[in-house]
Amino acid sequence: MRNAFADELSRLAELDSRVMLLSGDIGNKLFDSFKKVDATRFLNCGIAESNMLSVAAGLALNGLRPVVYTITPFTTTRCFEQIRVDVCYHEAPVIIVGTGSGLSYAELGPTHHSLEDLAIMRTLPGMQIIAPCDAIEMRLALSAALQSQYPTYIRIGKKGEPVIHKTVPHFKVGRAITIQAGSDVLIMVSGTIMTNVLNAVEALETHGISCQIASVHTIKPFDYDYLGQNIAKFKAVVTIEEHSMSGGLGGVVAEFLSSYSHHPRHLRLGTRDEFMHEMGDQAFAHIKYDLDSAGIARKIKSFLEQ
Protein backbone atom coordinates (compact mmCIF):
# COMPACT_ATOMS: atom_id res chain seq x y z
CA MET A 1 0.00 0.00 0.00
CA ARG A 2 2.87 2.40 0.72
CA ASN A 3 4.24 1.92 -2.81
CA ALA A 4 0.82 2.81 -4.21
CA PHE A 5 0.78 5.85 -1.91
CA ALA A 6 4.12 7.07 -3.28
CA ASP A 7 2.97 6.48 -6.85
CA GLU A 8 -0.36 8.26 -6.38
CA LEU A 9 1.16 11.21 -4.55
CA SER A 10 3.69 11.66 -7.38
CA ARG A 11 0.86 11.64 -9.90
CA LEU A 12 -1.11 14.21 -7.93
CA ALA A 13 1.97 16.39 -7.47
CA GLU A 14 2.31 16.61 -11.23
CA LEU A 15 -1.23 17.95 -11.42
CA ASP A 16 -1.03 20.36 -8.47
CA SER A 17 2.09 22.42 -7.82
CA ARG A 18 0.89 23.16 -4.26
CA VAL A 19 1.43 19.53 -3.15
CA MET A 20 4.42 19.05 -0.84
CA LEU A 21 5.70 15.93 0.90
CA LEU A 22 7.22 16.01 4.38
CA SER A 23 8.89 12.82 5.59
CA GLY A 24 10.11 11.90 9.04
CA ASP A 25 13.39 10.44 7.77
CA ILE A 26 11.66 7.45 6.20
CA GLY A 27 11.06 6.18 2.68
CA ASN A 28 13.59 8.44 1.02
CA LYS A 29 14.17 5.91 -1.79
CA LEU A 30 10.45 5.26 -1.95
CA PHE A 31 9.85 8.84 -3.03
CA ASP A 32 12.32 9.02 -5.92
CA SER A 33 9.39 9.38 -8.32
CA PHE A 34 8.08 12.34 -6.30
CA LYS A 35 11.51 13.99 -6.35
CA LYS A 36 11.60 13.61 -10.14
CA VAL A 37 8.43 15.71 -10.28
CA ASP A 38 9.98 18.45 -8.13
CA ALA A 39 12.72 17.73 -5.59
CA THR A 40 12.21 21.13 -3.95
CA ARG A 41 8.76 20.00 -2.78
CA PHE A 42 10.18 17.04 -0.80
CA LEU A 43 11.34 17.86 2.74
CA ASN A 44 13.07 15.28 4.91
CA CYS A 45 12.28 16.73 8.32
CA GLY A 46 14.31 14.15 10.20
CA ILE A 47 13.24 12.34 13.33
CA ALA A 48 11.55 15.47 14.64
CA GLU A 49 7.91 14.73 13.96
CA SER A 50 6.44 17.41 16.22
CA ASN A 51 8.39 20.06 14.36
CA MET A 52 7.36 18.45 11.04
CA LEU A 53 3.67 18.89 11.91
CA SER A 54 4.20 22.53 12.83
CA VAL A 55 6.04 23.14 9.54
CA ALA A 56 3.20 21.44 7.66
CA ALA A 57 0.61 23.63 9.38
CA GLY A 58 2.55 26.73 8.38
CA LEU A 59 2.80 25.58 4.77
CA ALA A 60 -0.93 24.84 4.65
CA LEU A 61 -1.81 28.24 6.09
CA ASN A 62 0.22 29.79 3.27
CA GLY A 63 -1.80 28.07 0.56
CA LEU A 64 0.24 24.89 -0.01
CA ARG A 65 -1.02 21.29 0.38
CA PRO A 66 1.45 19.48 2.64
CA VAL A 67 1.31 15.71 3.08
CA VAL A 68 3.10 14.39 6.17
CA TYR A 69 4.35 10.79 6.10
CA THR A 70 5.99 8.43 8.56
CA ILE A 71 5.22 5.37 10.70
CA THR A 72 1.83 5.75 12.36
CA PRO A 73 2.62 6.24 16.07
CA PHE A 74 5.13 8.91 15.13
CA THR A 75 2.59 10.95 13.13
CA THR A 76 -0.14 10.62 15.75
CA THR A 77 0.63 9.96 19.41
CA ARG A 78 4.12 11.50 19.36
CA CYS A 79 2.97 14.86 17.99
CA PHE A 80 -0.63 15.00 19.17
CA GLU A 81 -0.30 18.51 20.63
CA GLN A 82 0.99 19.94 17.33
CA ILE A 83 -1.84 18.22 15.44
CA ARG A 84 -4.37 19.62 17.91
CA VAL A 85 -3.09 23.17 18.20
CA ASP A 86 -1.16 23.91 15.00
CA VAL A 87 -3.27 21.90 12.53
CA CYS A 88 -6.81 21.47 13.85
CA TYR A 89 -7.20 24.69 15.85
CA HIS A 90 -6.17 26.67 12.77
CA GLU A 91 -8.20 24.45 10.42
CA ALA A 92 -5.07 23.91 8.33
CA PRO A 93 -5.69 21.39 5.51
CA VAL A 94 -2.73 19.15 6.32
CA ILE A 95 -2.88 15.51 5.22
CA ILE A 96 -1.29 13.22 7.81
CA VAL A 97 -0.43 9.74 6.55
CA GLY A 98 0.50 6.99 8.99
CA THR A 99 2.12 3.92 7.43
CA GLY A 100 2.47 0.49 9.00
CA SER A 101 -0.69 1.02 11.00
CA GLY A 102 -2.20 -1.27 13.58
CA LEU A 103 0.01 -4.32 14.06
CA SER A 104 1.86 -4.12 10.72
CA TYR A 105 5.11 -3.68 12.66
CA ALA A 106 4.11 -6.10 15.42
CA GLU A 107 7.59 -7.61 15.57
CA LEU A 108 9.14 -4.22 16.47
CA GLY A 109 7.24 -3.99 19.74
CA PRO A 110 4.68 -1.58 21.24
CA THR A 111 6.65 1.53 20.24
CA HIS A 112 5.68 0.72 16.64
CA HIS A 113 2.12 -0.49 17.30
CA SER A 114 -0.74 1.93 16.64
CA LEU A 115 -3.86 0.67 18.36
CA GLU A 116 -5.16 3.94 19.79
CA ASP A 117 -4.61 6.40 16.92
CA LEU A 118 -8.20 6.30 15.63
CA ALA A 119 -9.50 6.94 19.13
CA ILE A 120 -7.36 10.00 19.85
CA MET A 121 -7.76 11.52 16.38
CA ARG A 122 -11.54 11.22 16.63
CA THR A 123 -11.52 13.67 19.51
CA LEU A 124 -10.08 16.50 17.41
CA PRO A 125 -12.64 18.95 15.98
CA GLY A 126 -12.63 19.13 12.19
CA MET A 127 -10.34 16.14 11.67
CA GLN A 128 -11.29 13.68 8.90
CA ILE A 129 -10.13 10.09 9.49
CA ILE A 130 -9.79 7.56 6.69
CA ALA A 131 -8.65 3.93 6.93
CA PRO A 132 -8.73 2.42 3.41
CA CYS A 133 -8.98 -1.33 2.99
CA ASP A 134 -6.70 -1.59 -0.06
CA ALA A 135 -4.54 0.38 -2.45
CA ILE A 136 -7.49 1.39 -4.62
CA GLU A 137 -9.31 3.01 -1.70
CA MET A 138 -6.03 4.59 -0.59
CA ARG A 139 -5.54 6.28 -3.97
CA LEU A 140 -9.13 7.55 -3.94
CA ALA A 141 -8.82 8.74 -0.35
CA LEU A 142 -5.64 10.68 -1.05
CA SER A 143 -7.19 12.40 -4.03
CA ALA A 144 -10.34 13.23 -2.04
CA ALA A 145 -8.31 14.59 0.87
CA LEU A 146 -6.48 16.96 -1.46
CA GLN A 147 -9.84 18.25 -2.68
CA SER A 148 -10.95 18.87 0.91
CA GLN A 149 -10.28 21.94 3.02
CA TYR A 150 -10.21 19.94 6.28
CA PRO A 151 -7.28 18.33 8.08
CA THR A 152 -7.22 14.65 7.17
CA TYR A 153 -5.59 11.62 8.77
CA ILE A 154 -5.11 8.61 6.47
CA ARG A 155 -4.18 5.33 8.14
CA ILE A 156 -2.52 2.88 5.73
CA GLY A 157 -0.83 -0.52 5.88
CA LYS A 158 2.75 -1.38 5.01
CA LYS A 159 3.21 -3.50 1.91
CA GLY A 160 1.83 -6.59 0.25
CA GLU A 161 -1.81 -6.05 1.21
CA PRO A 162 -4.13 -7.69 -1.38
CA VAL A 163 -6.36 -5.54 -3.56
CA ILE A 164 -9.98 -6.03 -2.49
CA HIS A 165 -11.97 -4.10 -5.08
CA LYS A 166 -12.30 -5.76 -8.49
CA THR A 167 -13.31 -2.44 -10.05
CA VAL A 168 -12.85 1.15 -8.97
CA PRO A 169 -15.73 1.89 -6.57
CA HIS A 170 -17.61 5.16 -6.13
CA PHE A 171 -15.68 6.76 -3.29
CA LYS A 172 -16.78 9.65 -1.15
CA VAL A 173 -15.39 10.67 2.23
CA GLY A 174 -17.93 9.65 4.88
CA ARG A 175 -19.74 7.05 2.74
CA ALA A 176 -19.34 3.34 3.38
CA ILE A 177 -18.98 0.89 0.48
CA THR A 178 -20.84 -2.42 0.40
CA ILE A 179 -18.35 -5.13 -0.55
CA GLN A 180 -20.83 -8.00 -0.40
CA ALA A 181 -24.59 -8.18 0.21
CA GLY A 182 -26.02 -10.52 2.86
CA SER A 183 -29.00 -11.04 5.16
CA ASP A 184 -28.01 -12.32 8.64
CA VAL A 185 -25.09 -10.24 9.90
CA LEU A 186 -23.83 -6.78 8.99
CA ILE A 187 -20.02 -6.77 9.22
CA MET A 188 -18.48 -3.30 9.22
CA VAL A 189 -14.74 -3.23 8.59
CA SER A 190 -12.12 -0.51 8.62
CA GLY A 191 -8.63 -0.85 7.18
CA THR A 192 -6.51 -3.66 5.83
CA ILE A 193 -7.93 -6.38 8.07
CA MET A 194 -10.53 -6.78 5.28
CA THR A 195 -8.66 -9.74 3.73
CA ASN A 196 -9.04 -11.77 6.92
CA VAL A 197 -12.71 -10.81 7.10
CA LEU A 198 -13.42 -12.01 3.57
CA ASN A 199 -11.81 -15.37 4.31
CA ALA A 200 -13.76 -15.63 7.56
CA VAL A 201 -17.03 -14.93 5.77
CA GLU A 202 -16.36 -17.78 3.36
CA ALA A 203 -16.12 -20.08 6.37
CA LEU A 204 -19.30 -18.67 7.94
CA GLU A 205 -21.23 -19.21 4.74
CA THR A 206 -20.48 -22.95 4.94
CA HIS A 207 -22.51 -22.86 8.18
CA GLY A 208 -25.43 -21.10 6.45
CA ILE A 209 -24.63 -17.64 7.87
CA SER A 210 -25.18 -14.89 5.32
CA CYS A 211 -22.99 -11.81 5.85
CA GLN A 212 -23.14 -8.31 4.42
CA ILE A 213 -19.70 -6.70 4.41
CA ALA A 214 -19.14 -2.95 4.34
CA SER A 215 -15.83 -1.16 3.98
CA VAL A 216 -16.14 1.71 6.43
CA HIS A 217 -13.13 3.55 5.11
CA THR A 218 -14.08 6.80 6.86
CA ILE A 219 -14.24 6.78 10.64
CA LYS A 220 -14.94 10.52 10.78
CA PRO A 221 -17.25 11.88 9.44
CA PHE A 222 -18.99 8.56 9.99
CA ASP A 223 -21.67 7.21 7.64
CA TYR A 224 -24.53 7.16 10.14
CA ASP A 225 -27.04 6.97 7.27
CA TYR A 226 -25.64 3.61 6.12
CA LEU A 227 -25.86 2.15 9.60
CA GLY A 228 -29.28 3.64 10.29
CA GLN A 229 -30.73 2.31 7.06
CA ASN A 230 -29.38 -1.21 7.62
CA ILE A 231 -29.52 -2.08 11.31
CA ALA A 232 -33.15 -3.24 11.25
CA LYS A 233 -32.35 -5.79 8.53
CA PHE A 234 -29.85 -7.88 10.50
CA LYS A 235 -29.68 -10.09 13.58
CA ALA A 236 -26.34 -8.61 14.58
CA VAL A 237 -23.84 -5.88 13.76
CA VAL A 238 -20.14 -6.80 13.91
CA THR A 239 -17.33 -4.24 13.79
CA ILE A 240 -13.80 -5.41 12.97
CA GLU A 241 -10.63 -3.32 13.08
CA GLU A 242 -6.91 -3.70 13.72
CA HIS A 243 -7.20 -1.21 16.56
CA SER A 244 -8.31 -1.18 20.15
CA MET A 245 -11.96 -2.10 20.64
CA SER A 246 -12.23 1.25 22.42
CA GLY A 247 -12.63 4.50 20.54
CA GLY A 248 -12.31 3.38 16.93
CA LEU A 249 -14.91 1.91 14.58
CA GLY A 250 -16.44 -0.23 17.32
CA GLY A 251 -16.70 2.80 19.57
CA VAL A 252 -18.43 4.90 16.92
CA VAL A 253 -21.01 2.20 16.23
CA ALA A 254 -21.61 1.53 19.94
CA GLU A 255 -22.22 5.24 20.56
CA PHE A 256 -24.69 5.33 17.69
CA LEU A 257 -26.58 2.21 18.76
CA SER A 258 -26.90 3.54 22.31
CA SER A 259 -29.34 6.16 21.03
CA TYR A 260 -31.80 3.44 19.95
CA SER A 261 -34.15 1.75 22.43
CA HIS A 262 -34.06 -1.42 20.29
CA HIS A 263 -31.24 -2.47 18.02
CA PRO A 264 -29.39 -5.63 16.93
CA ARG A 265 -26.70 -7.02 19.19
CA HIS A 266 -23.25 -5.60 18.56
CA LEU A 267 -20.01 -7.60 18.54
CA ARG A 268 -16.77 -5.62 18.59
CA LEU A 269 -13.60 -7.32 17.34
CA GLY A 270 -10.26 -5.59 17.82
CA THR A 271 -7.40 -5.58 20.30
CA ARG A 272 -7.96 -5.65 24.04
CA ASP A 273 -7.20 -2.84 26.50
CA GLU A 274 -3.57 -3.89 26.96
CA PHE A 275 -0.08 -3.60 25.48
CA MET A 276 1.18 -6.61 23.54
CA HIS A 277 4.28 -7.72 25.44
CA GLU A 278 4.93 -10.89 23.43
CA MET A 279 7.16 -10.70 20.37
CA GLY A 280 5.80 -11.91 17.06
CA ASP A 281 4.86 -10.79 13.57
CA GLN A 282 1.51 -9.46 12.38
CA ALA A 283 0.12 -12.96 11.75
CA PHE A 284 1.03 -13.93 15.33
CA ALA A 285 -0.70 -10.81 16.65
CA HIS A 286 -3.81 -11.52 14.61
CA ILE A 287 -4.09 -14.97 16.16
CA LYS A 288 -3.52 -13.56 19.66
CA TYR A 289 -6.43 -11.13 19.26
CA ASP A 290 -8.74 -13.43 17.23
CA LEU A 291 -8.28 -11.20 14.20
CA ASP A 292 -7.08 -14.01 11.93
CA SER A 293 -9.69 -15.53 9.63
CA ALA A 294 -10.35 -18.52 11.87
CA GLY A 295 -10.63 -16.34 14.97
CA ILE A 296 -13.05 -13.91 13.32
CA ALA A 297 -15.27 -16.75 12.07
CA ARG A 298 -15.19 -18.47 15.46
CA LYS A 299 -16.10 -15.29 17.34
CA ILE A 300 -19.00 -14.40 15.06
CA LYS A 301 -20.43 -17.94 15.02
CA SER A 302 -20.20 -18.17 18.81
CA PHE A 303 -21.83 -14.75 19.22
CA LEU A 304 -24.78 -15.74 17.03
CA GLU A 305 -25.27 -18.97 18.97
CA GLN A 306 -25.54 -17.21 22.35
Side-chain angles (χ1 to χ4, degrees):
M1 187 178 279
R2 65 188 181 192
N3 292 342
F5 164 73
D7 179 69
E8 183 67 11
L9 187 63
S10 300
R11 188 186 73 81
L12 294 169
E14 285 188 337
L15 301 174
D16 188 341
S17 62
R18 299 174 304 161
V19 174
M20 294 195 65
L21 173 60
L22 286 71
S23 166
D25 201 25
I26 183 176
N28 294 322
K29 188 71 176 175
L30 179 67
F31 296 119
D32 280 351
S33 59
F34 185 94
K35 296 172 196 171
K36 287 180 181 177
V37 176
D38 187 346
T40 66
R41 286 193 269 151
F42 174 79
L43 302 179
N44 182 349
C45 295
I47 305 175
E49 293 84 357
S50 298
N51 182 67
M52 178 165 64
L53 262 297
S54 295
V55 171
L59 294 171
L61 292 173
N62 280 278
L64 298 172
R65 299 310 310 268
V67 179
V68 173
Y69 173 88
T70 193
I71 297 173
T72 301
F74 311 139
T75 52
T76 54
T77 51
R78 178 172 290 177
C79 44
F80 185 70
E81 181 180 358
Q82 284 69 31
I83 296 171
R84 175 178 177 269
V85 178
D86 295 346
V87 176
C88 290
Y89 177 70
H90 291 95
E91 300 179 345
V94 175
I95 298 173
I96 302 166
V97 177
T99 187
S101 301
L103 293 162
S104 299
Y105 287 109
E107 67 274 20
L108 298 184
T111 56
H112 286 63
H113 300 169
S114 53
L115 302 171
E116 57 285 289
D117 52 306
L118 296 178
I120 65 171
M121 298 295 258
R122 273 186 65 212
T123 64
L124 295 174
M127 176 64 80
Q128 299 183 134
I129 304 171
I130 305 175
C133 75
D134 69 359
I136 291 177
E137 284 193 3
M138 186 282 301
R139 288 176 184 271
L140 297 169
L142 184 58
S143 181
L146 280 173
Q147 298 299 316
S148 169
Q149 294 304 310
Y150 295 99
T152 304
Y153 169 50
I154 303 177
R155 182 188 208 252
I156 68 174
K158 188 170 64 172
K159 63 179 181 179
E161 295 88 358
V163 172
I164 302 299
H165 294 284
K166 295 181 174 61
T167 59
V168 178
H170 174 68
F171 183 95
K172 185 175 181 181
V173 173
R175 294 298 181 196
I177 299 172
T178 298
I179 300 293
Q180 169 183 311
S183 58
D184 293 324
V185 182
L186 173 61
I187 301 178
M188 307 184 78
V189 185
S190 69
T192 56
I193 198 70
M194 181 66 82
T195 302
N196 291 3
V197 174
L198 292 173
N199 292 332
V201 165
E202 282 188 15
L204 290 168
E205 287 175 343
T206 65
H207 294 282
I209 300 170
S210 174
C211 301
Q212 179 157 317
I213 307 170
S215 173
V216 187
H217 50 72
T218 307
I219 302 298
K220 184 182 178 182
F222 189 74
D223 193 350
Y224 293 109
D225 289 341
Y226 185 91
L227 184 54
Q229 292 164 6
N230 281 284
I231 55 173
K233 303 176 185 176
F234 297 95
K235 301 174 186 173
V237 176
V238 180
T239 49
I240 305 176
E241 56 196 320
E242 196 173 290
H243 182 272
S244 169
M245 285 186 273
S246 301
L249 173 63
V252 178
V253 171
E255 291 165 13
F256 177 80
L257 294 177
S258 69
S259 65
Y260 282 74
S261 56
H262 298 85
H263 58 76
R265 297 168 63 215
H266 176 202
L267 172 64
R268 285 187 282 178
L269 296 182
T271 60
R272 296 183 287 273
D273 185 22
E274 64 182 27
F275 290 104
M276 186 179 118
H277 293 280
E278 303 94 328
M279 297 304 294
D281 61 11
Q282 188 177 27
F284 170 85
H286 283 169
I287 293 171
K288 173 180 171 64
Y289 291 111
D290 291 314
L291 291 173
D292 61 313
S293 299
I296 291 170
R298 183 174 60 251
K299 284 284 187 178
I300 293 176
K301 186 171 180 292
S302 173
F303 184 74
L304 294 175
E305 291 171 348
Q306 292 174 8

